[in-house]
Amino acid sequence: MVSLPSRRTGLRTLGLALAGLALCAVAAHAQEAAQAAAPAAAAPPAPVPNKGDTAWMLVSSALVLMMSIPGLALFYGGLVRTKNMLSVLAQVFAIVSMVGVIWVLYGYSEAFTNGGGLNDFVGGFSKIFLKGVDATSTAATFSNGVVIPEYAYMVFQMTFAMITPALIVGAFAERIKFSAVLLFVLLWVTLIYFPIAHMVWYWAGPDAIGDAAKALAAASGDAAKAAAQAKLDAANADAGKLFQLGALDFAGGTVVHINAGIAGLVGALMIGPRIGYGKEALPPHSLTMSMIGASLLWVGWFGFNAGSNLEANGVTALAFVNTMVATAAAALSWMISEWVFRGKPSLLGMISGAVAGLVAVTPASGFAGPMGSLALGLIVSPLCLFFVAGVKEKFGYDDALDVFGVHCIGGITGAIATGFLVAPALGGVGITDYTNFANANAGTYDMATQVITQLKAVGTTLVWSGVGSAILYKIVDLIVGLRPTPDQEREGLDITDHGERAYNY
C-alpha cells in the first residue's frame, strides 16, 4: 500500500510531466507556424520606382519633345523657301499633336503589349485607351529589380512615336497636301511604326527572364525542370521578332531613322520632284533658323539617347558621352570633307554632319565606348555626304531635305556598326544575358553573329517600311490626292493650305 505522501509526490510528478508535454506541444506548434509563415515573410517586396530615375525619364521626355517642336520644325523650316516655311512648321506641329492622341488611344498598346499569335510582329489591345495604366503601375528597365512608373515609360515612348513620322516630311517638303500628310501619318504609324517598335523593343523584361532562370536552376527532378524550362522559354518568347533574334538598337537606329528614312525616299519618288528641281536654284531661306533647329536637336538628343537607358546610372552617362563625341566628330568630319571636295566649309554642311552623327550613334549609344562613338562620327559624315551630294544628283530624285541621305544612310551605318562597337575589345559594353545571374548577366559575344543579326534588323526595317509605305502613299493618293496643283505649288503651301504666311513684311 502506498502512503499518502508518496501518492501526492507521484501526482505532482505526473502533473509536471503533463505540463512539460503541453509546453513541448505548444512550442512545436509555434515552430511549425513560424516555418509555414517564413516563405511569405521572406518574399521580396515589389520594386518601387526610384525618384531620381523617374525625374530623369520625365526630363528626357521633355527633351525629346523639344527635338520635334521646335527643333525639327525650325531645322526643316529654315531649309525650305520662304513661301513654304509655315507649311513645314504646321506639318510637324500637327503630326506631333495627332500622334500623341493616337498613342494613348491604341498606339502604346499596339507597340508594347503581348500580341498573342502575332506577338512576333505586333502587340495587342490589352492596354487600349491606357487600360490598366495608372499612377501605381510600373514598367521594367534593363536592370533586375529596377522599375519606373509606367506613365513615365509610356510618355517617353510617345515622344519617339511623335518625331519619327515628322522626320519623313522633309523628303517631300514643299509639294504635298496638308490633308495627305495627316492621312498618311495616321496610317503609317498604325501599320509601320508601331509594329517595328514592337519587333525591336518589346520584351518581357529582365525580372521575368531572371526569375524563370533562377527557378530552372533550383528545380529538382525531370518534371520540375521541364516545367521551369517551359516558363523560361515563354519569357524569352514574349518579345518582338527582332528582339528575339538579338538585334541591338539602343535608341532607335532602326525604329526611328531607317524606318523614317526609307519611307521618305519612297514618298519623294512617288510624289515626284518639286517644280523647277534641277533647273533653278531652290536654296534654304534661313540657315539661321536651321542652325537653331539643329542645335535644339543636339541638346534634345541627350534625352533621346541617354533617356533610352530608362535609369540614371553609369550606362546613362555613357550614352550621354557617346552622343556628345559622335556628334562633334561628325560635324567636324562633314566640314573637312566638304572643304576638301567642294572648296569651302559651309554652315549647312556642319549642321548636316551633326545630325548625321546624332543619327549614327543612336543605336550604338548605350553599347559602344566613347572611342568607338568618336570613330563612328568621323566615318558617317563622308558616307552621308556621298549620298547627299553624289548619289542623289546622279539619280535625280528630289529628297528635298535629305531625309534618306542623312537619316536612312546614317541609321544603317550606325545599326551595322553597333554589331562591331559593342565588342568589349573595342571598348563596348558587351552582350547582356539575363539568364546568367551568377556572373553579373554577362553574355557571350560573337562579332560575326551579331553583325549578321544587325543586318537582318536593317533589312527587315527597309522592306517593312519601304513596301508598306509605298502601299500607303498609293492609298492616300486615291483618297485625297498627294500633290497640290502646279499653280498652288508655285504660290506656296503657306497660302494655299493654311491661308497665312510665315513672314509678313
Side-chain angles (χ1 to χ4, degrees):
M1 183 175 179
V2 180
S3 64
L4 187 59
S6 296
R7 190 178 297 170
R8 289 177 177 173
T9 301
L11 290 172
R12 188 183 301 115
T13 302
L14 179 61
L16 290 173
L18 291 173
L21 289 173
L23 289 172
C24 289
V26 170
H29 179 73
Q31 185 177 7
E32 291 176 359
Q35 289 175 345
V48 177
N50 176 275
K51 291 182 179 180
D53 293 339
T54 303
W56 168 242
M57 291 311 302
L58 295 177
V59 169
S60 294
S61 300
L63 287 171
V64 181
L65 176 63
M66 187 184 73
M67 290 172 63
S68 299
I69 48 175
L72 182 69
L74 291 176
F75 179 65
Y76 277 179
L79 294 176
V80 300
R81 290 167 290 180
T82 306
K83 63 183 180 180
N84 294 310
M85 166 68 161
L86 184 139
S87 72
V88 171
L89 300 180
Q91 288 170 15
V92 173
F93 206 97
I95 288 170
V96 167
S97 303
M98 183 174 71
V99 174
V101 172
I102 295 170
W103 185 253
V104 296
L105 293 179
Y106 64 85
Y108 176 64
S109 186
E110 186 182 339
F112 291 105
T113 64
N114 186 290
L118 296 175
N119 192 52
D120 280 358
F121 305 103
V122 69
F125 296 103
S126 60
K127 294 187 178 180
I128 191 169
F129 307 137
L130 299 185
K131 178 184 176 182
V133 181
D134 58 33
T136 64
S137 60
T138 59
T141 63
F142 299 105
S143 298
N144 293 103
V146 180
V147 297
I148 57 174
E150 191 169 11
Y151 275 138
Y153 181 73
M154 183 276 297
V155 78
F156 179 68
Q157 287 293 348
M158 177 197 288
T159 59
F160 279 65
M162 288 171 166
I163 194 171
T164 305
L167 292 172
I168 300 173
V169 302
F172 42 70
E174 303 192 281
R175 61 192 192 278
I176 189 170
K177 293 180 179 179
F178 187 67
S179 57
V181 170
L182 296 183
L183 180 56
F184 173 77
V185 169
L186 170 63
L187 297 173
W188 191 84
V189 294
T190 302
L191 300 172
I192 308 296
Y193 179 82
F194 299 153
I196 289 288
H198 180 87
M199 282 190 267
V200 175
W201 284 336
Y202 174 72
W203 67 312
D207 290 334
I209 296 173
D211 291 347
K214 290 177 183 178
L216 176 60
S220 60
D222 292 341
K225 288 182 178 179
Q229 183 64 57
K231 289 184 178 180
L232 178 58
D233 292 342
N236 284 320
D238 188 13
K241 185 64 175 179
L242 295 176
F243 192 98
Q244 291 182 52
L245 291 177
L248 301 176
D249 187 354
F250 194 78
T254 52
V255 178
V256 176
H257 299 293
I258 299 175
N259 201 5
I262 190 63
L265 175 64
V266 171
L269 293 174
M270 292 185 69
I271 295 172
R274 289 167 288 180
I275 293 174
Y277 179 74
K279 300 176 182 178
E280 58 186 71
L282 305 173
H285 89 278
S286 177
L287 285 176
T288 302
M289 289 287 189
S290 294
M291 187 271 177
I292 294 170
S295 301
L296 290 169
L297 283 170
W298 189 343
V299 174
W301 223 289
F302 292 117
F304 200 80
N305 286 353
S308 290
N309 192 48
L310 307 182
E311 304 173 53
N313 59 22
V315 177
T316 309
L318 173 66
F320 196 107
V321 170
N322 286 342
T323 303
M324 183 71 84
V325 298
T327 308
L332 191 66
S333 179
W334 194 302
M335 180 191 76
I336 293 172
S337 298
E338 194 175 46
W339 205 342
V340 170
F341 293 105
R342 292 191 162 187
K344 292 185 179 182
S346 70
L347 174 62
L348 177 57
M350 281 183 262
I351 61 177
S352 298
V355 174
L358 290 164
V359 169
V361 78
T362 290
S365 55
F367 298 123
M371 294 304 103
S373 297
L374 182 68
L376 179 58
L378 293 172
I379 292 168
V380 71
S381 281
L383 290 174
C384 290
L385 178 58
F386 172 70
F387 274 84
V388 167
V391 174
K392 184 171 78 168
E393 291 182 6
K394 180 175 178 60
F395 289 95
Y397 60 86
D398 185 12
D399 177 8
L401 309 183
D402 296 313
V403 176
F404 175 75
V406 174
H407 290 275
C408 194
I409 298 303
I412 291 172
T413 303
I416 296 172
T418 300
F420 296 99
L421 297 178
V422 72
L426 297 177
V429 302
I431 302 298
T432 301
D433 179 4
Y434 289 98
T435 66
N436 188 15
F437 49 86
N439 192 23
N441 293 341
T444 302
Y445 169 74
D446 180 79
M447 184 174 288
T449 301
Q450 191 60 54
V451 171
I452 291 171
T453 300
Q454 297 301 106
L455 288 168
K456 290 178 180 178
V458 169
T460 300
T461 307
L462 288 172
V463 172
W464 187 285
S465 184
V467 175
S469 296
I471 296 171
L472 297 182
Y473 283 120
K474 186 62 178 177
I475 291 173
V476 172
D477 194 28
L478 292 173
I479 296 174
V480 299
L482 287 169
R483 192 158 185 163
T485 65
D487 287 343
Q488 290 173 327
E489 187 177 335
R490 288 190 182 94
E491 185 175 359
L493 302 182
D494 289 7
I495 290 294
T496 60
D497 263 343
H498 305 284
E500 53 188 351
R501 302 181 188 276
Y503 307 103
N504 291 291
Y505 300 104

